[in-house]
Amino acid sequence: MDRLAHQLNTLSELVEAITFRLLELEEKVSVQQQRLEPLVEASDREDEHQDALRKLRFDQTEQRLSHLEQLLQLAHSPGPQASFPESAPPLMAIDGPFPEELEQPFMDDVPA
């Protein structure tokens, strides 16, 4: 009977020690969570900022593509109504071969 009482006493001391360690661990976790909260909030704000920048870039790209489509439609529309806006750069026509270059004399043929 003494042996059983001794084992129960040892077991209760072990449970008490584990409980104290668990409470200490919970306190440490709580402190770490409090330290991480500002970082998580800052990260969330940064993510929102990055999302806003991405959306702005997508919108700007969409506007540019729309403008290019309009210019291409103007360039390919038949008739005299195809006029480019003044702000648009002129398109270069590549209708034929490269222009012929004039023949240049060799260095030996040039009088010194």
Side-chain angles (χ1 to χ4, degrees), residues 13-65:
E13 289 174 0
L14 180 63
V15 169
E16 183 181 5
I18 290 174
T19 303
F20 283 130
R21 288 190 181 187
L22 184 60
L23 290 172
E24 289 174 0
L25 183 61
E26 286 179 354
E27 287 179 20
K28 289 179 181 179
V29 167
S30 175
V31 168
Q32 292 301 322
Q33 283 179 337
Q34 289 174 355
R35 287 183 182 174
L36 286 177
E37 282 179 11
L39 296 175
V40 169
E41 290 173 4
S43 175
D44 290 345
R45 286 192 301 270
E46 182 68 24
D47 289 345
E48 290 173 3
H49 180 70
Q50 291 296 327
D51 289 343
L53 283 177
R54 259 187 232 108
K55 184 180 180 329
L56 177 65
R57 286 188 203 123
F58 286 140
D59 291 344
Q60 290 173 345
T61 301
E62 187 176 339
Q63 289 173 355
R64 287 187 197 109
L65 288 174

